[in-house]
Structures are given as C-alpha cells and as structure tokens.
Amino acid sequence: GSLLLYLPRLATPAVLCYNTSKIIYKGDFFMNQQYLQLYADFIVKVGVNVRPRQNFIVRCPVTMPDFAHACVRAGYEAGAKQVIVRWEDDKLTRLNMELAAEEDLAAMKPYELRSYLDYAEDPDGCCTLAIHAEDPEALAGLDAGKLNRVNLARRTFMKPWQEYTMNDRVQWCVAAVPAPGWAAKVFPELPLDEAVEKLWTLIFSSKGRGERT
C-alpha cells in the first residue's frame, strides 16, 4: 500500500507516496503509538523536510495532542533546534466569533505577527506544519459576513508572514489527520470511534503513484 499526501514545499509542489507495507491493518491499529509515529515521521521528515538547527512551528488542534507529540518527537529527531506548538481550538474559535465584537476580532496585536516572524528571521531559518483535523461544522450557523470580514482582516495583517510561506522562503506542509468531527461528517452512520478508525484506515490505504505537478 501507499500513503498519498499533497505536499506543497520548496519551489515545486509535489504529490509523494510513502510505502506503508510495514503497517498491519488490525482493529485499533490507529490508536497504537507506533503507527501514529510512522505517520508523523513521514509528514515531518519527508513532507516538511525539517533541517538541522531549524525552528519548527506546528499548528495543531487541541483534539489531537498525541499526534502533536509525535510530530514534536519527529522534529527533534530530524535536527530541529526548537519545536513550537500552536494549539487551535474549534470550540474556542466559535465562542470568539459568536460573542466578540467584529472590530475587536479584527484588531490583531503586533505580537501575533512577531511570534512567526521572529522564527522566520532567525539565521537558522524555520519551517512549519499545519495539521488539519477541524470539525467542518464548527462555525455552522454563525454570521458568514462577519466571519469573512474578520478572516480577511487577519490575512491582511499576517501578510508579512504569508510572504514567507507563499514564496517558499520557508518549507511548509499541510496534513490532514482524522478527528471526531471530520469522521462523523464522512461516516455519519457509524459510531464515533468506528468512524475515526475507518478514516484512519482510508488514509493509510490510499493508493497512488508519486508524480510532479
């Protein structure tokens, strides 16, 4: 089998495959730390391609602490001098978007930008991984106009950091990891634990061949 993952990094986006013949498909395999670490190792060492002495920034949902820990381990094994984890919380985001004033949500503070630029400007450089495991329905029912305006304000404010990522001045990777909200959306007919397991199985059993785009 092979693991198919879209990895936009360096100057040329690529679709890469990873041989997962070592993975044994049994019941709760995805809960085994060994398999979780295999996936994290691939994403961090191949997808992000962490280099010695780089700062490694990981954005991860609070619902996936074990996977974040696996990525931290992989980062240090690859030679990172520091691994910085930025936790993201769908429920907290919803509360803020629902209850805070739009002008306050859009008024970002300088430290929020500097917390990325300080690492990007480090002579040893940095790289980043965004782990996507959010609930697709997390913001359902909220004011779409407010959400769009706040997100636009934030993207504009963070543009100096985006110049690094969008121009491939830092390595970056976006990886999907099954989370309960996502699994329930894909397999609504299954109990939650079975839905999560089945989504993990789909990731590890994806078929494909490596190709350049």
Side-chain angles (χ1 to χ4, degrees):
S2 60
L3 175 62
L4 190 64
L5 180 66
Y6 180 68
L7 302 174
R9 66 184 183 89
L10 302 182
T12 308
V15 176
L16 303 178
C17 288
Y18 178 61
N19 190 328
T20 57
S21 59
K22 293 183 292 183
I23 294 175
I24 303 172
Y25 300 100
K26 289 185 179 180
D28 61 350
F29 79 88
F30 72 96
M31 294 298 292
N32 188 308
Q33 185 63 35
Q34 177 185 355
Y35 302 119
L36 204 66
Q37 193 67 57
L38 277 175
Y39 188 41
D41 286 347
F42 170 57
I43 290 171
V44 171
K45 298 175 183 179
V46 179
V48 181
N49 189 25
V50 176
R51 298 168 184 168
R53 296 295 298 166
Q54 282 189 317
N55 299 287
F56 179 30
I57 302 172
V58 179
R59 291 169 45 210
C60 183
V62 296
T63 55
M64 305 298 296
D66 290 340
F67 190 70
H69 299 159
C71 288
V72 170
R73 176 179 294 278
Y76 281 121
E77 288 178 352
K81 72 175 180 181
Q82 187 174 9
V83 182
I84 305 95
V85 178
R86 304 281 170 83
W87 297 105
E88 299 177 347
D89 186 334
D90 283 342
K91 292 183 179 179
L92 183 58
T93 298
R94 182 182 178 91
L95 286 170
N96 286 331
M97 287 294 187
E98 181 179 4
L99 302 175
E102 181 177 327
E103 58 269 25
D104 295 325
L105 290 171
M108 297 185 69
K109 302 295 186 282
Y111 81 87
E112 297 181 74
L113 176 59
R114 288 306 323 171
S115 68
Y116 286 94
L117 293 185
D118 284 348
Y119 293 110
E121 294 169 358
D122 187 308
D124 290 322
C126 80
C127 50
T128 181
L129 168 65
I131 299 168
H132 281 198
E134 63 272 354
D135 180 353
E137 301 296 325
L139 302 180
L142 297 184
D143 182 342
K146 178 181 179 180
L147 294 176
N148 290 336
R149 290 188 295 272
V150 169
N151 288 333
L152 176 60
R154 292 183 173 182
R155 286 196 300 271
T156 301
F157 183 83
M158 295 296 290
K159 189 173 180 179
W161 164 245
Q162 293 172 352
E163 291 291 329
Y164 278 89
T165 57
M166 293 299 98
N167 292 308
D168 294 314
R169 294 165 64 189
V170 299
Q171 305 113 269
W172 60 278
C173 179
V174 178
V177 178
W182 179 20
K185 185 73 173 178
V186 177
F187 303 110
E189 74 284 358
L190 296 178
L192 190 57
D193 58 341
E194 292 181 23
V196 172
E197 177 176 351
K198 190 166 184 178
L199 198 52
W200 268 114
T201 303
L202 284 178
I203 287 179
F204 278 110
S205 62
S206 295
K207 301 294 182 180
R209 60 184 179 81
E211 62 181 81
R212 287 283 172 183
T213 58

